[in-house]
Amino acid sequence: MDEKKARMRELVELLDRAGRAYYQEAREIMSNYEYDKLYDELLGLERETGMTLSGSPTARVGYEVLSELPKERHERPMLSLDKTKEVEDLKEWVGEHRTLLSWKLDGLTIVLTYREGRLFKAVTRGNGEVGEVITNNARVFQNIPLKIPYQGELILRGEAVIGYREFERINGEIEDVDARYKNPRNLCSGSVRQLNNEITARRKVNFFAFSLVSAADVDFADSHEREFLWLRDQGFEVVEYQVVTAENLEDTVRWFSEHISEHDFPSDGLVAVYDDISYGRSLGRTSKFPRDSMAFKWADEIRETRLKEIEWSPSRTGLINPVAIFEPVELEGTTVSRASVHNISILKALELGIGDVIEVYKANMIIPQIAGNQTRSGTVEIPGVCPVCGGSTEIRKVNDAESLYCTNSECEAKKIKSFTLMVSRDALNIEGLSEATLEKFIARGFIHEPADVFRLKRYREELVTLEGFGEKSYENLMANVEKARNTTLAKVIYSLGIPNIGLAGAKLICRHFDDQVDELLKAEPEELAAIDRVGEVIAGSFVSYFQDEGKKQRFLNLLSELTLVQEERAEEAQQTLKGKVFVITGSLNHFSNRKELQELIEQKGGKVTGSVTGKTDYLINNDTASGSSKNKKAKELGVPIISEEEFLTL
């Protein structure tokens, strides 16, 4: 018994640490597969011993939220769902009852309240008892109706999610590999809980309703499906579902599993709920689970394979990521041969060795992960030198996780990644300098420090003779370099790649010091930390960076090549559509939707309205010759009708 209690304490501590990292800090220290395995082991021990330890995740709904957002207690506690990975168990639970089977979306649960037909409040699930108020952010979700026909008080629950395509787009814009989001759920959590809803709006968050809590004086005929259909009529997107009984359950589960690869939104399983509301309520609930619903977790398809090598991939911050390369296997319909190991802690925990027999799976049936290691030889050697520059490496412990770093400040990998960030769109925005081109220039000694990018003319003769470059490429590049000389101080600061400082943080700091470089360089950590939305971490990174005399001098050298424009003047200069009024109609080719086009117009100082009037300057319609009512009205009023291509030339 003592041994079992000791193991239970160990499991509670492990799962608590993993849970806090996942829910509070949006990072992972173990895979979902490993977490579920440990959770099931703990649950088995608790059943066997009849004991539940204080703090056990099996007796706790969630974790405390950590944020500056206002907090609010839910009127009704939001419970977790009991779960199974066995179709037979789910089949027995369903029995002959009419049941709704839907996707279990992997995002952030939100409670919405509507009053008098308008969105009144949005609150995150939080710890199940207390959540965070994110009403302003919910208003800019992609598909939440701000006004609905129903005028009574409506409370519903649903999942905020970001799709894989949007996840890949956002990660693709982040130059630094180790700064990228690990999965769509982490990205969604960070997007929904923003203090600035402008950032939320750019992230394309979607909301899918999965439960109606209350709607007075509406007869749903005691049916959850009727609730779903009514919510659709109110303008909500409802999670995709199918009606099942035990008879067709297996076929329906198979249908969902076959279609998950086509599904853009992440799902970690299915949810079953009895359609009969009264029957479900009559079953009551446990301290943690309602008895009218059940979660079905995907039984991960696991394949054995053999580890061939560990590839060590450096980034611009010096972080060297371990990537497992293994003999190709078929998983969920695709061939996979590599998976990120994430950090040294996970590498050690798996005791990896070349030639080991490992088990691999796809988290949420999408992202390749290592589930376990049968051989556990532990022979993988952590490199003492960087695979790119040969400089010494060191293991650093950050947030309870060990990671490997290159200590050589002149590492070529750091240079290439750093210069890639520097010339990126949100930084100095120099087109024509791809990572491959930068690699060539650095290898030939054309670029040693940031200012050298603006001194490339001195190497004209060598540049025009480079393979695949030539006279035209050189002229185009020089034109882009000259154009990039006019920029803002905030973009220059961001381009330096200072840890923890993105473009938004750089803008906050530069505005505080009114773009005065001397004042900025003399800043003390306390003064910086006191700036709204900056804080101690960003302040520490900023001051530490400029305390390095070499980095400080390279920054000043870069400034000597640039003409700085005040942020306000730069924004004013971009207002090319200021005062212009547009109406958008018809299908679009260059923009994913009208909202995206509207955002661009508004960024450029223009305005978008819903109908054509005498104040309209342009009607955007790719079918300029159509007989639509908007086209007719525009012709009557003499308003130009332009296509997207014509708009883009404005």
Side-chain angles (χ1 to χ4, degrees):
M1 176 66 79
D2 288 342
E3 288 181 3
K4 290 176 181 176
K5 283 174 66 176
R7 178 57 177 163
M8 287 166 68
R9 287 194 187 96
E10 183 183 4
L11 289 169
V12 167
E13 184 181 342
L14 278 169
L15 293 169
D16 181 64
R17 189 147 39 92
R20 275 189 282 111
Y22 189 74
Y23 287 102
Q24 294 181 0
E25 301 162 17
R27 63 186 180 89
E28 292 182 45
I29 60 175
M30 67 173 65
S31 68
N32 290 342
Y33 179 87
E34 186 179 359
Y35 184 94
D36 287 346
K37 187 178 177 182
L38 295 177
Y39 184 98
D40 290 342
E41 182 186 350
L42 176 61
L43 195 60
L45 286 169
E46 288 176 346
R47 287 171 178 159
E48 190 178 335
T49 61
M51 181 188 304
T52 302
L53 298 177
S54 174
S56 171
T58 66
R60 183 183 57 222
V61 173
Y63 297 86
E64 288 295 324
V65 293
L66 296 176
S67 161
E68 297 174 48
L69 292 164
K71 296 178 177 62
E72 182 173 296
R73 184 169 293 277
H74 297 297
E75 290 183 20
R76 299 184 192 176
M78 298 183 67
L79 304 179
S80 299
L81 297 181
D82 201 0
K83 66 177 186 293
T84 180
K85 289 188 176 182
E86 302 299 327
V87 176
E88 282 304 316
D89 290 346
L90 186 63
K91 190 174 180 180
E92 184 179 337
W93 181 86
V94 170
E96 296 305 311
H97 299 288
R98 191 174 192 271
T99 302
L100 306 185
L101 191 65
S102 62
W103 295 112
K104 184 176 182 295
L105 296 174
D106 193 14
L108 205 65
T109 300
I110 307 291
V111 184
L112 300 181
T113 300
Y114 284 76
R115 290 180 183 171
E116 297 179 348
R118 297 182 183 276
L119 177 62
F120 174 73
K121 184 170 56 181
V123 184
T124 67
R125 178 183 187 277
N127 68 353
E129 298 281 344
V130 177
E132 298 165 301
V133 180
I134 49 102
T135 312
N136 284 339
N137 294 345
R139 293 185 196 281
V140 297
F141 286 4
Q142 292 289 291
N143 61 342
I144 280 186
L146 299 180
K147 185 179 178 183
I148 61 174
Y150 179 67
Q151 295 298 298
E153 181 175 82
L154 165 65
I155 303 175
L156 70 153
R157 295 171 181 170
E159 199 81 354
V161 288
I162 288 179
Y164 284 109
R165 284 193 293 270
E166 180 67 3
F167 167 71
E168 288 164 4
R169 181 189 71 79
I170 291 172
N171 261 355
E173 293 176 355
I174 301 173
E175 304 291 342
D176 187 6
V177 174
D178 50 296
R180 291 174 181 166
Y181 293 92
K182 296 293 184 291
N183 54 53
R185 186 200 180 280
N186 287 359
L187 172 59
C188 184
S189 176
S191 302
V192 169
R193 299 165 66 214
Q194 282 287 334
L195 295 176
N196 180 357
N197 70 347
E198 182 183 352
I199 297 172
T200 307
R202 292 201 298 263
R203 298 285 178 80
K204 298 185 180 178
V205 180
N206 283 267
F207 175 87
F208 294 93
F210 61 65
S211 173
L212 192 152
V213 178
S214 64
D217 303 321
V218 181
D219 182 11
F220 297 111
D222 220 25
S223 164
H224 279 302
E225 185 175 25
R226 290 285 189 94
E227 291 180 337
F228 276 10
L229 296 173
W230 183 81
L231 285 171
R232 282 180 179 169
D233 289 341
Q234 299 301 311
F236 295 97
E237 286 194 55
V238 174
V239 64
E240 184 180 11
Y241 71 92
Q242 294 199 32
V243 178
V244 298
T245 60
E247 189 176 338
N248 67 337
L249 177 70
E250 287 185 58
D251 289 341
T252 308
V253 169
R254 190 179 303 111
W255 181 89
F256 275 105
S257 66
E258 288 170 352
H259 284 76
I260 192 170
S261 59
E262 306 163 10
H263 200 239
D264 188 43
F265 295 105
S267 165
D268 56 357
L270 303 171
V271 173
V273 59
Y274 294 132
D275 184 46
D276 189 322
I277 296 173
S278 295
Y279 173 72
R281 285 177 181 163
S282 73
L283 299 174
R285 67 185 203 188
T286 68
S287 61
K288 186 177 180 183
F289 306 125
R291 290 196 173 99
D292 69 339
S293 48
M294 171 78 75
F296 173 79
K297 300 274 282 187
W298 300 119
D300 300 302
E301 182 181 357
I302 299 174
R303 291 283 182 267
E304 286 184 9
T305 184
R306 197 170 295 277
L307 183 66
K308 293 168 65 178
E309 64 173 303
I310 294 291
E311 180 183 283
W312 299 91
S313 176
S315 70
R316 70 171 178 84
T317 61
L319 177 67
I320 303 175
N321 295 294
V323 179
I325 312 298
F326 44 82
E327 292 176 359
V329 289
E330 288 289 321
L331 274 178
E332 314 293 354
T334 62
T335 303
V336 295
S337 60
R338 56 193 292 128
S340 173
V341 186
H342 300 301
N343 54 49
I344 300 300
S345 293
I346 293 176
L347 182 86
K348 289 179 177 178
L350 288 167
E351 297 181 75
L352 293 175
I354 306 305
D356 281 359
V357 176
I358 60 174
E359 298 165 325
V360 294
Y361 74 108
K362 280 187 177 181
N364 290 356
M365 304 176 82
I366 298 291
I367 304 168
Q369 301 279 323
I370 298 178
N373 180 5
Q374 293 185 11
T375 315
R376 305 190 80 86
S377 68
T379 57
V380 166
E381 292 187 9
I382 299 169
V385 296
C386 172
V388 172
C389 71
S392 61
T393 62
E394 68 178 16
I395 296 175
R396 301 175 192 167
K397 194 167 187 178
V398 181
N399 294 328
D400 295 330
E402 291 184 325
S403 296
L404 187 66
Y405 287 83
C406 171
T407 61
N408 177 17
S409 61
E410 297 301 312
C411 176
E412 294 298 304
K414 288 185 184 180
K415 283 186 178 181
I416 293 165
K417 298 293 184 182
S418 293
F419 283 111
T420 302
L421 171 67
M422 173 190 157
V423 303
S424 66
R425 185 179 62 187
D426 287 340
L428 299 186
N429 192 19
I430 306 177
E431 293 183 23
L433 277 180
S434 65
E435 189 168 318
T437 301
L438 284 166
E439 189 173 358
K440 288 180 185 176
F441 289 3
I442 292 169
R444 285 165 175 76
F446 300 161
I447 298 175
H448 297 280
E449 62 170 296
D452 290 338
V453 171
F454 295 91
R455 301 166 180 164
L456 286 170
K457 280 187 176 180
R458 64 179 69 168
Y459 300 107
R460 183 187 180 284
E461 291 184 11
E462 294 99 319
L463 286 169
V464 295
T465 60
L466 282 178
E467 183 181 353
F469 209 68
E471 189 72 41
K472 184 66 175 174
S473 297
Y474 170 81
E475 294 297 338
N476 289 339
L477 176 59
M478 288 306 103
N480 292 333
V481 167
E482 290 306 309
K483 182 181 176 183
R485 288 185 189 274
N486 294 293
T487 189
T488 65
L489 182 59
K491 289 188 174 183
V492 179
I493 296 294
Y494 170 64
S495 79
L496 301 176
I498 304 172
N500 303 310
I501 299 182
L503 182 57
K507 284 183 177 181
L508 290 171
I509 293 170
C510 292
R511 284 173 187 168
H512 178 79
F513 292 102
D514 197 27
D515 286 350
Q516 297 301 307
V517 175
D518 292 341
E519 296 298 316
L520 184 141
L521 292 177
K522 290 188 294 186
E524 296 292 333
E526 296 76 18
E527 182 181 6
L528 287 166
I531 300 172
D532 185 33
R533 290 183 288 156
V534 172
E536 293 181 4
V537 174
I538 291 177
S541 293
F542 187 89
V543 172
S544 175
Y545 184 89
F546 287 110
Q547 281 175 342
D548 183 316
E549 287 299 323
K551 291 176 180 175
K552 181 178 174 180
Q553 189 56 54
R554 287 192 286 274
F555 166 64
L556 294 173
N557 292 345
L558 175 60
L559 288 183
S560 71
E561 297 289 338
L562 304 173
T563 300
L564 294 182
V565 180
Q566 283 275 341
E567 189 74 34
E568 291 76 15
R569 294 212 309 269
E571 290 174 359
E572 183 70 23
Q574 294 171 5
Q575 302 291 289
T576 51
L577 301 177
K578 189 172 183 179
K580 300 295 182 185
V581 178
F582 293 81
V583 173
I584 307 167
T585 191
S587 59
L588 299 173
N589 301 321
H590 296 281
F591 299 88
S592 57
N593 52 46
R594 293 183 192 176
K595 180 71 174 173
E596 187 178 321
L597 175 53
Q598 179 179 340
E599 286 175 357
L600 176 61
I601 291 170
E602 290 172 351
Q603 285 171 13
K604 299 291 182 182
K607 181 180 178 182
V608 176
T609 61
S611 56
V612 178
T613 69
K615 294 182 179 179
T616 305
D617 290 292
Y618 296 98
L619 170 64
I620 300 175
N621 186 354
N622 283 324
D623 188 358
T624 56
S626 82
S628 69
S629 59
K630 283 191 172 72
N631 274 26
K632 288 178 181 177
K633 189 68 174 177
K635 288 173 182 175
E636 286 175 16
L637 298 172
V639 173
I641 304 170
I642 60 174
S643 65
E644 279 177 274
E645 286 79 7
E646 290 170 311
F647 163 76
L648 291 169
T649 65
L650 288 177

